[in-house]
């Protein structure tokens, strides 16, 4: 299976990125994780994206806060899909990162998830890989069934508490 590359702009982002890493591990998707900043280490970030296709990646996840350019900078260097995760790491509560990530100019798309949406970014990356992988599609369907079962269990508990 091809790999998912997960990049974050700073070590301080790691805690918010961990839900993505956990899900990718749970789904047994090969993953490589890096701290590369679009501002502080632009050469490394650019080289990673330029070589990503040759290095066996299928999709990149880029998480960053503040003036979050990482996802867009990677997208500029590869035609692999890039999923941006705006992080809440500033006084602006992540709105700055959301707009920086989502408002890409025509021709250079970044698939942007919610602020602090690392889990969904990993899920979307898995769904992209699953287009060509029936086994992975089955795992994703099982996850959906588990989610639905959890909600219905919560509903049942609520009904019991309220004596409905
Ligand atoms: C962004 O600036 C990083 O992605 C991080 O969210 C934010 C703050 O970085 P540090 O100053 O904590 O390294 O580039």
């Amino acid at each position: 299976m091809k790999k998912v590359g997960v990049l974050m702009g700073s070590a301080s982002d790691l805690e918010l990125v961990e839900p993505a890493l956990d899900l990718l591990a749970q789904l047994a998707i090969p993953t490589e994780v890096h701290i590369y900043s679009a501002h502080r280490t632009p050469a490394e970030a650019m080289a990673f994206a330029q070589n990503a296709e040759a290095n066996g990646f299928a999709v990149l996840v880029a998480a960053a806060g503040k003036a979050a350019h990482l996802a867009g900078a990677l997208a500029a260097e590869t035609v692999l899909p890039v999923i941006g995760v705006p992080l809440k790491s500033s006084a602006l509560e992540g709105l700055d990162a959301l707009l920086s990530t989502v408002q890409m100019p025509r021709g250079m798309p970044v698939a942007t998830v919610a602020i602090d949406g690392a889990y969904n970014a990993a899920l979307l990356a898995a769904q992209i890989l699953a287009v060509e992988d029936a086994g992975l599609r089955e795992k994703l369907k099982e996850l959906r069934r588990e989610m639905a079962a959890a909600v219905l269990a919560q509903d049942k508990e609520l009904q019991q508490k309220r004596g409905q």
Side-chain angles (χ1 to χ4, degrees):
M1 191 191 298
K2 288 197 173 173
K3 295 182 285 185
V4 173
V6 178
L7 290 89
M8 68 202 88
S10 166
S12 64
D13 297 329
L14 184 56
E15 197 181 333
L16 293 172
V17 172
E18 262 160 5
L21 304 181
D22 291 347
L23 179 64
L24 292 166
Q26 184 189 331
L27 294 170
I29 293 175
T31 303
E32 207 176 297
V33 191
H34 291 280
I35 299 165
Y36 287 148
S37 163
H39 313 283
R40 293 167 178 158
T41 60
E44 286 77 4
M46 187 187 290
F48 182 88
Q50 285 171 343
N51 298 320
E53 198 182 324
N55 286 337
F57 291 92
V59 50
L60 306 182
V61 171
K66 298 187 176 172
H69 293 129
L70 184 58
L74 297 174
E77 300 294 342
T78 180
V79 294
L80 296 177
V82 176
I83 304 170
V85 187
L87 299 178
K88 188 160 73 179
S89 66
S90 78
L92 297 183
E93 303 285 336
L95 187 58
D96 43 2
L98 172 63
L99 296 178
S100 302
T101 306
V102 79
Q103 287 288 70
M104 286 298 291
R106 178 185 161 95
M108 208 56 69
V110 166
T112 305
V113 296
I115 294 170
D116 292 351
Y119 181 92
N120 267 5
L123 204 46
L124 186 53
Q127 288 176 212
I128 291 169
L129 283 168
V131 169
E132 299 285 349
D133 186 328
L136 185 53
R137 278 203 300 281
E138 195 39 53
K139 283 186 191 175
L140 294 173
K141 287 175 189 172
E142 180 55 28
L143 264 187
R144 294 261 174 120
R145 287 191 285 269
E146 286 170 12
M147 249 192 312
V151 173
L152 293 177
Q154 287 162 349
D155 178 62
K156 193 172 175 187
E157 199 182 318
L158 179 65
Q159 303 313 310
Q160 281 165 354
K161 259 190 207 152
R162 294 179 55 86
Q164 290 180 159

